[in-house]
Amino acid sequence: MTDQEFIDWVRFWLCLDETDITDTDFQIILDTVKGQHPDGSDCQIKYYFAIATLQHLIRKQIKKSSGSTGDGALKRRKEKVGRREVEIEYHGDSDSDSSWESLLEDLKADPNMIGCVVFPPSGEDSIIEAGVIIGVHKNKWDMETPWRQNLSRKCRFRY
C-alpha cells in the first residue's frame, strides 16, 4: 500500500475529517510507524498506524482540555435532603477523549478488528495438539472398576 492509501484507510476507519487531523500529521505518524516496524506487513502497519493515531488524538484532546478553563457547565451535583443523599452526574461533549481511549483499549484487545489478521500463527504456534481418551467405562458406579477396587483396601501403617 502507498502512504496515501494508509492515510485514507485510517481516516475512513476512525471517521476523521481534515479538521480533526491533517495529512501532514498523518504522514509524520505513518513515517514513525514504518520506521519502528520496517519488516511489518501491510496489516501490521495498519494496526500500529491506527494505534499511533489514536494515541495522538488522545494527547491532542488532553492538551485541548488542559488549556481551557471550562465552559461553566454543571457536570456533577450533590444534594442532601434529610438522611437521603443524591449525586447526579451529567455527561457532555467533553467525554470524547474517553471514547478514543476505549477504542484504543478495544483495538489492543482485539487486533483483528481492523479487518485483517495482524499476527497470524506460524511455525510451532500454528500446530494444535489434542489428546484422545481411550477406554472410558460406561457405568461410573460399577464397583468392578480398578480404581474403585483400590478404594476399599485397608492400609496398615507401622510406627
Side-chain angles (χ1 to χ4, degrees):
M1 291 179 73
T2 64
D3 288 354
Q4 190 59 43
E5 288 174 340
F6 278 121
I7 291 171
D8 291 341
W9 177 83
V10 167
R11 190 178 295 281
F12 168 76
W13 195 74
L14 294 175
C15 301
L16 297 172
D17 298 330
E18 272 98 30
T19 57
D20 297 323
I21 188 169
T22 63
D23 282 343
T24 55
D25 289 345
F26 269 133
Q27 190 63 49
I28 292 169
I29 295 169
L30 182 60
D31 291 340
T32 305
V33 167
K34 284 186 173 182
Q36 291 173 345
H37 307 283
D39 297 333
S41 66
D42 284 350
C43 188
Q44 290 173 344
I45 297 295
K46 281 182 180 180
Y47 171 71
Y48 291 122
F49 187 35
I51 285 179
T53 303
L54 286 170
Q55 289 171 343
H56 175 79
L57 291 170
I58 290 169
R59 286 191 306 271
K60 186 177 176 182
Q61 186 69 30
I62 289 171
K63 180 183 174 195
K64 188 168 87 174
S65 66
S66 69
S68 66
T69 58
D71 56 358
L74 182 65
K75 290 194 175 204
R76 184 177 291 173
R77 179 180 67 145
K78 197 175 206 181
E79 287 183 2
K80 186 171 184 181
V81 178
R83 293 184 181 177
R84 182 178 296 172
E85 188 171 318
V86 177
E87 184 173 347
I88 302 171
E89 186 171 341
Y90 301 100
H91 298 285
D93 293 337
S94 64
D95 292 332
S96 63
D97 57 340
S98 64
S99 64
W100 291 126
E101 289 173 3
S102 65
L103 180 59
L104 179 63
E105 291 172 5
D106 291 345
L107 181 59
K108 286 183 178 180
D110 182 19
N112 298 338
M113 73 186 287
I114 63 170
C116 58
V117 179
V118 179
F119 305 109
S122 62
E124 294 291 325
D125 295 337
S126 63
I127 298 172
I128 299 173
E129 295 180 7
V132 177
I133 300 173
I134 299 173
V136 176
H137 200 273
K138 296 201 187 279
N139 186 359
K140 64 181 176 182
W141 304 111
D142 186 13
M143 295 305 284
E144 298 299 317
T145 59
W147 64 275
R148 284 278 185 175
Q149 289 175 0
N150 290 336
L151 289 176
S152 62
R153 284 189 184 167
K154 292 184 179 179
C155 298
R156 294 184 181 177
F157 297 103
R158 292 186 182 180
Y159 296 101

